Amino acid sequence: MADLGNPKNTIEIIQKYQFAFQKKFGQNFLIDTHVLEKIIRAAGVTKDDLVLEIGPGIGTMTQYLAEASRQVIAVEIDSNLIPILKETLADYENVLVINQDILKVDINQLAKEYNGGRPIKVVANLPYYITTPIIMGLFESHVPIDNITVMVQKEVADRMQVGPGSKDYGALSLAVQYYAQPYIVANVPPNCFIPRPNVGSAVIRLTRHEKPPVEVKDEKLMFRLIRASFNQRRKTLQNGLNNSPEVPYTKEQIAAAIDSLGVSPSVRGEALGLEQFAALANCFCDMEK
Ligand code: SAM
């Protein structure tokens, strides 16, 4: 099968099947061989690896992944793409295509069945409308993962990577950095896709930490505090936590917990790093006892 990274081949397949792009599925197919090669290299895919691809589209990146890995599992929601994938991936025996919504797939079970529970790699040109639920779902369900190397909207890649003091810093930055080390591999302009997206894109590699960089007694509580702090970005941390139905502590307890961090009582949540949110959560945990 011809390399779909070549735009001519992609256009040919789309015309042959009269494929109609569906906006609601975030369908922008990659047509740049250099970007495709860069993604595979950045993910560090080897012949030992099981790779999960989310949204193979017409199979462009899947072809590259099949060449580089031991086995690819590609999960695609759009059933109109399944006959196309049959043709474009016919040369590869190491690709399993599953016609499903990725948010409904039991990835732990796949990792167990196809990789003996060993860490898998996730590589994808993600549908942008569900980037965050996909990535957080992968981390929170504790799927064994080596790294997630994905194309996302540029602005979202920036948010994942920054720390306190940046306007892009928020709940997503903290959640990603609790689970992984982010690294932006490349910025990718709209002309590398068909059809062209309205936004810039970036490839980001999230290398899973073996152990989180901070010790937290109650992860869920820490994430509740983080959400409450950033829900009301312009408010002080004290007010953000007081006003949140997710934070069941008294005004006095909240003031004491903030004081224990050694920061000003009027500090804003956006000034705190992961370590401080962990310390705050641990302080509330101790109060409960
Ligand atoms: N991998 C292809 C490429 O790089 O050319 C296509 C990438 S395109 C940005 C996103 C793909 O994800 C589309 O094929 C779309 O149909 C698929 N998709 C969208 N939502 C999905 C979901 N919930 N589960 C699985 N696949 C999904």
Side-chain angles (χ1 to χ4, degrees):
M1 178 70 209
D3 175 3
L4 295 166
N6 179 335
K8 186 176 138 282
N9 297 329
T10 283
I11 290 165
E12 217 173 274
I13 280 285
I14 284 167
Q15 285 177 345
K16 176 172 170 191
Y17 285 85
Q18 299 195 328
F19 177 73
F21 287 92
Q22 297 214 58
K23 228 182 173 163
K24 68 167 180 191
F25 288 145
Q27 291 175 339
N28 301 95
F29 299 162
L30 256 170
I31 42 161
D32 187 302
T33 53
H34 298 295
V35 174
L36 285 153
E37 279 158 13
K38 210 177 229 178
I39 295 173
I40 309 292
R41 241 193 343 264
V45 175
T46 73
K47 277 287 172 196
D48 283 336
D49 285 324
L50 172 74
V51 178
L52 169 67
E53 188 191 6
I54 298 160
I58 58 170
T60 313
M61 188 141 70
T62 327
Q63 294 180 333
Y64 285 69
L65 290 169
E67 299 274 350
S69 71
R70 175 173 56 79
Q71 164 96 49
V72 184
I73 299 180
V75 179
E76 174 56 60
I77 196 169
D78 185 354
S79 47
N80 291 332
L81 288 165
I82 304 304
I84 303 183
L85 288 166
K86 269 215 174 75
E87 175 178 339
T88 59
L89 302 174
D91 293 346
Y92 303 102
E93 284 175 2
N94 60 341
V95 179
L96 170 68
V97 175
I98 300 176
N99 185 196
Q100 250 287 24
D101 177 348
I102 188 64
L103 298 178
K104 296 193 179 136
V105 172
D106 183 347
I107 302 167
N108 266 310
Q109 181 55 36
L110 289 178
K112 215 184 274 169
E113 198 175 328
Y114 291 91
N115 213 35
R118 280 173 291 119
I120 63 168
K121 289 180 177 156
V122 179
V123 183
N125 170 16
L126 284 181
Y128 294 172
Y129 74 105
I130 44 167
T131 299
T132 302
I134 290 176
I135 290 180
M136 294 321 297
L138 285 167
F139 285 141
E140 284 167 4
S141 59
H142 295 278
V143 174
I145 284 176
D146 178 278
N147 74 72
I148 302 176
T149 302
V150 281
M151 180 87 71
V152 296
Q153 194 177 327
K154 162 97 179 74
E155 194 193 307
V156 175
D158 289 340
R159 271 196 260 148
M160 290 182 192
Q161 211 196 17
V162 294
S166 157
K167 69 168 177 31
D168 293 325
Y169 182 58
L172 181 65
S173 330
L174 285 154
V176 163
Q177 291 164 32
Y178 178 69
Y179 291 108
Q181 171 80 43
Y183 168 70
I184 294 184
V185 175
N187 290 324
V188 182
N191 63 7
C192 294
F193 303 85
I194 178 170
R196 292 178 186 207
N198 296 327
V199 291
S201 303
V203 178
I204 190 164
R205 172 175 159 141
L206 308 172
T207 310
R208 183 95 155 101
H209 293 308
E210 274 181 29
K211 171 167 144 311
V214 292
E215 275 190 33
V216 197
K217 293 176 190 161
D218 182 344
E219 275 180 17
K220 289 208 168 93
L221 172 62
M222 179 176 77
F223 285 116
R224 287 210 307 271
L225 297 173
I226 289 173
R227 275 196 301 275
S229 310
F230 286 96
N231 265 348
Q232 296 183 306
R233 232 192 142 93
R234 291 164 159 265
K235 293 237 158 78
T236 62
L237 177 63
Q238 168 86 50
N239 282 339
L241 299 184
N242 277 340
N243 295 344
S244 169
E246 279 203 290
V247 180
Y249 298 96
T250 64
K251 222 173 164 176
E252 291 69 33
Q253 284 176 311
I254 291 171
I258 293 173
D259 186 55
S260 78
L261 298 179
V263 296
S264 151
S266 63
V267 73
R268 286 190 185 174
E270 65 191 11
L272 302 192
L274 184 57
E275 255 176 51
Q276 286 165 306
F277 275 108
L280 195 64
N282 290 342
C283 182
F284 282 121
C285 272
D286 292 341
M287 281 179 191
E288 275 174 336
K289 278 180 195 156

